[in-house]
Amino acid sequence: MSTHSHTPCELCASRKQSMFSDLPESQLCTISDYKNLISHRKGQILYYEGTKPLGIFCINAGVVKVYKTASNGKEQIIHLAKKGDFLGYAALLSEENYTNSAMIIEDAKICFVPKEPFLNTLLKNTDFFKRVTKQLSHEIGVMEERLTDATQKSIRERLAFVLLQLANSYGVEGGGNQKIDLVLSREEIAGIVGTATESVIRLLSEFKKDNLIDMDGKKIIVKDKRGLARLSDFYA
Amino acid sequence: MSTHSHTPCELCASRKQSMFSDLPESQLCTISDYKNLISHRKGQILYYEGTKPLGIFCINAGVVKVYKTASNGKEQIIHLAKKGDFLGYAALLSEENYTNSAMIIEDAKICFVPKEPFLNTLLKNTDFFKRVTKQLSHEIGVMEERLTDATQKSIRERLAFVLLQLANSYGVEGGGNQKIDLVLSREEIAGIVGTATESVIRLLSEFKKDNLIDMDGKKIIVKDKRGLARLSDFYA
DNA sequence: TCCATTATATGATTTATATCAGGTTATTTT
DNA sequence: AAAATAACCTGATATAAATCATATAATGGA
């Protein structure tokens, strides 16, 4: 884990995609002065569930899985965070310990902004505060949807849906199809869907046989979005 | 549905339990001036998923179920809101339509505070804004937990857990035991747990047989909290 | 008060999916 | 390169829970 402090936020390319996008120069500089950029390798942990948040993370590059460990030992992946995403602000703002853990799954550059400058900026800049609040509120709606899907949809439907979402977030074009440009193990996909690894393996084979997807090494190619969309709905 | 505009927020008994609790008199009056109290009977709808939020609801008395309708027609109950709870602020702050619906399940008195005075107060009073944000952040953590439980725990475990939660929120003491002072149909309990009605019926019978609970009319008496707690954990 | 409707209950059956077990194929590590 | 480890695959089996079917009890309306 190596620390740099170059690349001020003002010049950060991933800023445009983040909640920092509209911060005025002056406030951006304040944050920039306090932040520091850390490189992380795949497998490293950003923070653990149950520990105290000391600031927020801003992802400059790479991918981070945010997950909870269930009492049976299995991982439920809550979210895959990428360039421009913020991490840990909910825990910070709730004034509680982290409710989840975060692990790098694709080599990453991540800025850490300590609690103080972040909260100060929040209070100074109401627009920024509103944007953060908007994001929090939005996430609640998303979680409600996921909970409903988890209790009411089959594993097949949920997997089909997850593949579509991954294609949207991590898809790169190629030959008319979209390739999910992200290496995930079957176990990790199971963690997203909320099922057993074997079920994912079986269903992915089925999807491939049915020409809905294809594999390019460890990466999944989505060949038939409409087909997956049909599968992801109830009785359709 | 009858409208009154008496009981100013300053004198409202349920205020102390709400996010309004620490508002200064002046701001409370602003809100009070704009709000209006409406009585609702069981079965009435407060708002529907997909519609535009025009303000927030503050529950003075009664119980409201907040739920999503899944594509198979079943209801997933997200939350049961009672005295002192706010409803619809997440949708308002996300600047999106409601992601869920709300129905009265116990005769209620509910204040409606229009968008404008609520948002103005929020921006004027940073402490209040912080408290709302804290609540939103907290809820995200709760939803993450629920999602993990939904994918990793059995129906029996989840039902046991739901009973403990209901006892905490709606429990009244009596003969050493706690009675869940809230009439819920088996179907609604199934909607909270995320399962089929028949499964709830069977499991409740089982819990009763095992002396974990008892019935008082339509209300459930929790006789053995520790037993339910043991059941609600994995392999315990 | 009777009728209709809804809620509860319980048994039988089916089904999805987890689990277990035994493989092969990839990756690391030494 | 060989050995060790992890990831993936497939089949067999077990099981939790949904669904279907039907009966009884409770509730609400006319």
Side-chain angles (χ1 to χ4, degrees), chain A residues 155 195 199 202:
Chain A
I155 303 291
T195 186
S199 298
R202 266 182 258 270

Side-chain angles (χ1 to χ4, degrees), chain B:
Chain B
M1 210 187 292
S2 59
T3 305
H4 321 268
S5 16
H6 50 268
T7 320
C9 296
E10 305 91 280
L11 303 174
C12 173
S14 70
R15 198 191 87 223
K16 283 153 209 144
Q17 296 152 267
S18 81
M19 289 193 289
F20 281 163
S21 58
D22 288 331
L23 274 192
E25 190 91 348
S26 66
Q27 285 163 10
L28 205 54
C29 289
T30 309
I31 284 183
S32 194
D33 287 348
Y34 285 99
K35 78 135 181 22
N36 58 55
L37 180 71
I38 301 175
S39 292
H40 296 267
R41 310 290 318 269
K42 185 173 174 163
Q44 290 181 331
I45 298 284
L46 217 48
Y47 59 78
Y48 280 109
E49 183 175 349
T51 62
K52 190 179 171 182
L54 303 172
I56 63 151
F57 299 94
C58 181
I59 303 180
N60 188 273
V63 181
V64 180
K65 71 170 172 188
V66 177
Y67 63 97
K68 277 183 87 78
T69 307
S71 40
N72 62 356
K74 286 195 185 171
E75 276 180 12
Q76 174 64 47
I77 295 181
I78 308 294
H79 180 59
L80 291 178
K82 63 173 192 293
K83 188 203 259 202
D85 287 345
F86 280 24
L87 282 186
Y89 53 97
L92 196 66
L93 293 169
S94 74
E95 298 172 49
E96 293 163 7
N97 288 342
Y98 284 117
T99 58
N100 52 51
S101 306
M103 180 191 278
I104 316 299
I105 61 166
E106 201 169 80
D107 292 358
K109 290 179 185 160
I110 297 171
C111 287
F112 176 79
V113 181
K115 180 175 175 169
E116 285 307 318
F118 176 72
L119 290 182
N120 287 341
T121 307
L122 213 58
L123 295 181
K124 237 176 279 172
N125 184 335
T126 312
D127 274 352
F128 181 48
F129 201 168
K130 273 164 83 176
R131 202 164 324 116
V132 172
T133 308
K134 182 174 173 174
Q135 180 61 25
L136 285 171
S137 309
H138 175 75
E139 277 171 41
I140 289 178
V142 172
M143 289 305 288
E144 290 174 358
E145 185 78 40
R146 292 190 65 187
L147 176 67
T148 306
D149 284 356
T151 62
Q152 305 294 350
K153 288 191 169 185
S154 70
I155 303 292
R156 178 179 286 103
E157 290 170 314
R158 277 147 61 192
L159 177 60
F161 187 65
V162 163
L163 292 178
L164 288 172
Q165 286 187 307
L166 288 173
N168 271 341
S169 300
Y170 299 93
V172 291
E173 299 301 326
N177 295 326
Q178 267 192 322
K179 179 162 79 175
I180 297 171
D181 193 23
L182 180 61
V183 174
L184 291 169
S185 67
R186 303 299 193 233
E187 191 175 4
E188 282 170 326
I189 297 173
I192 302 173
V193 176
T195 186
T197 307
E198 294 95 322
S199 298
V200 169
I201 291 172
R202 264 183 258 271
L203 284 168
L204 285 181
S205 311
E206 180 192 314
F207 287 179
K208 189 178 170 189
K209 186 175 61 71
D210 295 347
N211 255 296
L212 297 163
I213 62 168
D214 210 338
M215 299 301 301
D216 177 10
K218 305 216 60 154
K219 293 177 180 170
I220 297 170
I221 296 167
V222 173
K223 291 174 74 178
D224 184 359
K225 278 201 168 193
R226 307 200 63 177
L228 285 175
R230 223 178 312 116
L231 253 191
S232 74
D233 266 326
F234 251 90
Y235 314 125

Side-chain angles (χ1 to χ4, degrees), chain A residues 74 154-156 195-196 198-199 202 218:
Chain A
K74 286 194 185 173
S154 70
I155 303 291
R156 178 179 285 102
T195 186
E198 295 95 322
S199 298
R202 266 182 258 270
K218 306 218 60 155

